[in-house]
């Protein structure tokens, strides 16, 4: 069956490394002699607890998470955290949001239900092609936190610096670039991510939180959104997204086997540079993101017109690639090249792009 697999450029859920799928397949019916699938296990069993603990330990190791941070493995992907963060962190009742695309906009809208949100920057007028510089950020004094989205999945833009928040807690959505680059966790109060890109499958939200930000129990927050209760229960107040956590564990072991986050970073830079170098030396395709704001994970561009965009997508499917159609907010083409995308997949896409440009000039 594996020979029929396509190069899947989906923004998420995304392709998984073959060794991860093979391990899941091999362990499907009988996980390490337990006589059952991970899908069938009690989350309170010793065998599952070992999977859970190893997963957390591997994430801590791979991202160098300091000891004064907790890792929570929660339900609801990244979106669940949009409101959860505001509910848990707001004491002054003021938070600043840097809006650089679809998901940071959604995060701000959700947070505004619970706290006073100030938009410290929005790239809307410029079509979200740009990551603001420090000077462009209008950050207020006396706020609970500043929220950024580190990599904008839809727009294909990514921060190449950590903003200075004038002392406020920095919260970052890293759904689409976590584990693709080294990060200094100590610069952030909270890092959160949905798992379905570099960390496995959908439904799981990973939250790395500085322990002092886990405030004592608040009565008016739904229990699954309350960091204090979830942290005290080791993320198992209720049944966690158990299988997604297991797949995260497989993904982390794969990243380790590949050499860790530094190796992922070198690979990601190399894959992205192959596409951007080509885009910068031709006159058929139009890259979307500004040069200094480009993402190593999501490469966005258009052909000269919408008909050719559609033709590109159609012919790419016939050539054995899938999910290259851009998000409706940007149009055109988006190639998501997360950790699991092999270099050969990018080479294959590049050859296709060159041929398509020649044929349609
Ligand atoms: N943030 C970013 C940057 C995303 O790319 C996504 C999903 N594509 C989300 C948040 C929302 O994640 P989820 O669907 O897991 O809630």
């Amino acid at each position: 069956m594996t020979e029929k697999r396509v190069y899947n450029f989906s923004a998420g859920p995304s392709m998984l490394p073959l060794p991860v799928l093979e391990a899941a397949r091999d362990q499907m019916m009988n996980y390490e002699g337990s006589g059952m699938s991970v899908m069938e296990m009690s989350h309170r069993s010793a065998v599952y607890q070992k999977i859970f603990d190893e997963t957390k330990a591997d994430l801590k190791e791979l991202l160098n998470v300091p000891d004064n941070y907790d890792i929570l493995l929660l339900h609801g992907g990244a979106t669940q955290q949009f409101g959860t963060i505001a509910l848990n962190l707001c004491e002054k009742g003021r938070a600043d949001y840097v809006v650089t695309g679809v998901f940071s906009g959604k995060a701000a809208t959700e947070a505004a239900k619970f706290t006073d949100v100030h938009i410290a920057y929005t790239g809307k007028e410029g079509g979200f092609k740009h990551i603001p510089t420090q000077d462009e950020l209008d950050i207020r004094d006396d706020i609970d936190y500043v929220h950024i989205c580190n990599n904008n999945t839809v727009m294909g833009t990514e921060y190449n610096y950590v903003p200075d928040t004038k002392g406020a807690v920095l919260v970052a959505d890293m759904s689409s670039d976590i584990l693709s680059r080294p990060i200094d966790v100590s610069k952030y109060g909270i890092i959160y991510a949905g798992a379905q890109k570099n960390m496995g499958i959908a439904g799981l939200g990973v939250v790395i939180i500085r322990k002092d930000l886990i405030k004592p129990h608040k009565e008016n927050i739904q229990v699954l959104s309350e960091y204090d209760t979830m942290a005290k229960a080791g993320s198992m107040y209720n049944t966690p997204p158990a299988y997604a956590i297991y797949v995260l564990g497989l993904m982390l072991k794969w990243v380790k086997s590949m050499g860790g986050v530094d190796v992922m970073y070198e690979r990601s830079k190399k894959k992205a540079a192959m596409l951007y170098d080509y885009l910068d030396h031709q006159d058929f395709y139009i890259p979307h993101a500004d040069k200094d704001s480009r993402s190593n994970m999501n490469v966005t561009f258009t052909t000269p017109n919408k008909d050719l965009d559609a033709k590109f997508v159609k012919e790419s499917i016939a050539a054995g690639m899938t999910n290259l159609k851009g998000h409706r907010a940007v149009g055109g083409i988006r190639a998501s090249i997360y950790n699991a995308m092999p270099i050969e997949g990018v080479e294959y896409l590049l050859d296709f792009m060159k041929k398509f440009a020649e044929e349609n000039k």
Side-chain angles (χ1 to χ4, degrees):
M1 287 304 272
T2 47
E3 68 273 16
K4 287 211 182 116
R5 284 177 59 77
V6 293
Y7 286 125
N8 177 7
F9 291 91
S10 170
S14 318
M15 69 179 292
L16 300 179
L18 212 48
V20 167
L21 293 172
E22 285 166 349
R25 177 199 61 196
D26 293 347
Q27 296 174 336
M28 179 59 75
M29 309 301 276
N30 187 352
Y31 177 80
E32 291 193 352
S34 63
M36 58 186 144
S37 169
V38 177
M39 288 186 189
E40 304 170 295
M41 275 175 195
S42 163
H43 59 293
R44 308 277 178 209
S45 63
V47 60
Y48 186 75
Q49 189 67 51
K50 186 164 170 274
I51 294 172
F52 188 93
D53 292 345
E54 265 181 36
T55 301
K56 268 177 76 168
D58 283 343
L59 190 58
K60 183 169 160 61
E61 182 187 325
L62 279 167
L63 290 178
N64 282 318
V65 179
D67 288 340
N68 62 328
Y69 283 73
D70 205 344
I71 297 174
L72 307 179
L73 303 177
L74 305 177
H75 289 275
T79 302
Q80 179 65 23
Q81 297 309 313
F82 293 168
T84 298
I85 287 161
L87 282 165
N88 282 269
L89 294 198
C90 278
E91 296 197 318
K92 296 170 181 146
R94 288 152 57 87
D96 287 9
Y97 277 70
V98 183
V99 178
T100 46
V102 171
F103 291 105
S104 46
K106 284 187 171 175
T109 304
E110 189 67 8
K113 294 177 184 170
F114 309 112
T115 191
D116 172 49
V117 164
H118 162 71
I119 304 299
Y121 169 86
T122 175
K124 193 170 178 204
E125 270 180 29
F128 291 120
K129 296 176 178 185
H130 171 67
I131 294 290
T133 60
Q134 183 70 46
D135 291 346
E136 290 173 284
L137 300 179
D138 172 31
I139 294 172
R140 297 181 295 182
D141 293 323
D142 209 26
I143 53 173
D144 290 304
Y145 64 92
V146 175
H147 179 283
I148 62 166
C149 179
N150 217 43
N151 182 79
N152 297 281
T153 322
V154 171
M155 310 301 164
T157 59
E158 188 173 20
Y159 281 80
N160 58 21
Y161 75 104
V162 182
D164 176 357
T165 57
K166 298 201 290 184
V169 169
L170 179 60
V171 175
D173 176 355
M174 295 198 187
S175 294
S176 49
D177 65 348
I178 197 158
L179 293 170
S180 74
R181 59 197 293 196
I183 42 171
D184 180 353
V185 174
S186 71
K187 293 201 165 139
Y188 303 85
I190 296 181
I191 292 168
Y192 69 99
Q196 65 273 26
K197 301 154 199 309
N198 278 335
M199 295 197 299
I201 59 177
L204 168 65
V206 176
V207 177
I208 302 171
I209 179 167
R210 215 174 64 215
K211 285 178 184 164
D212 63 284
L213 296 173
I214 303 176
K215 305 287 184 214
H217 178 70
K218 289 187 187 174
E219 287 298 339
N220 60 349
I221 305 181
Q222 280 194 26
V223 69
L224 292 186
S225 291
E226 213 211 352
Y227 289 142
D228 185 46
T229 300
M230 295 312 282
K232 282 190 180 129
S235 303
M236 290 211 210
Y237 174 81
N238 71 331
T239 317
Y243 198 78
I245 292 168
Y246 158 73
V247 178
L248 167 61
L250 294 178
M251 289 293 282
L252 298 172
K253 292 208 184 314
W254 175 75
V255 173
K256 279 171 85 170
S257 76
M258 294 289 287
V261 173
D262 288 339
V263 172
M264 289 295 129
Y265 184 46
E266 291 310 316
R267 268 178 98 237
S268 297
K269 279 194 293 190
K270 184 173 168 191
K271 288 187 289 181
M274 284 161 64
L275 295 173
Y276 291 127
D277 284 350
Y278 168 64
L279 287 170
D280 287 341
H281 295 95
Q282 53 80 51
D283 55 9
F284 179 76
Y285 301 103
I286 305 136
H288 177 74
D290 287 353
K291 273 191 188 178
D292 62 358
S293 303
R294 284 170 167 173
S295 164
N296 283 338
M297 294 285 100
N298 311 95
V299 179
T300 46
F301 57 92
T302 55
T303 70
N305 62 59
K306 284 201 166 66
D307 290 342
L308 283 173
D309 286 345
K311 193 174 179 215
F312 182 104
V313 171
K314 198 168 163 220
E315 292 186 8
S316 68
I317 293 168
M321 293 176 284
T322 189
N323 288 312
L324 281 161
K325 188 171 188 288
H327 187 278
R328 61 192 176 280
V330 177
I333 315 296
R334 170 176 53 177
S336 295
I337 49 171
Y338 301 118
N339 286 347
M341 176 59 68
I343 289 178
E344 299 76 52
V346 178
E347 279 166 355
Y348 191 80
L349 169 62
L350 202 51
D351 287 346
F352 174 85
M353 285 170 69
K354 289 177 184 167
K355 188 162 161 277
F356 187 86
E358 269 316 305
E359 288 170 359
N360 293 283
K361 257 185 184 153

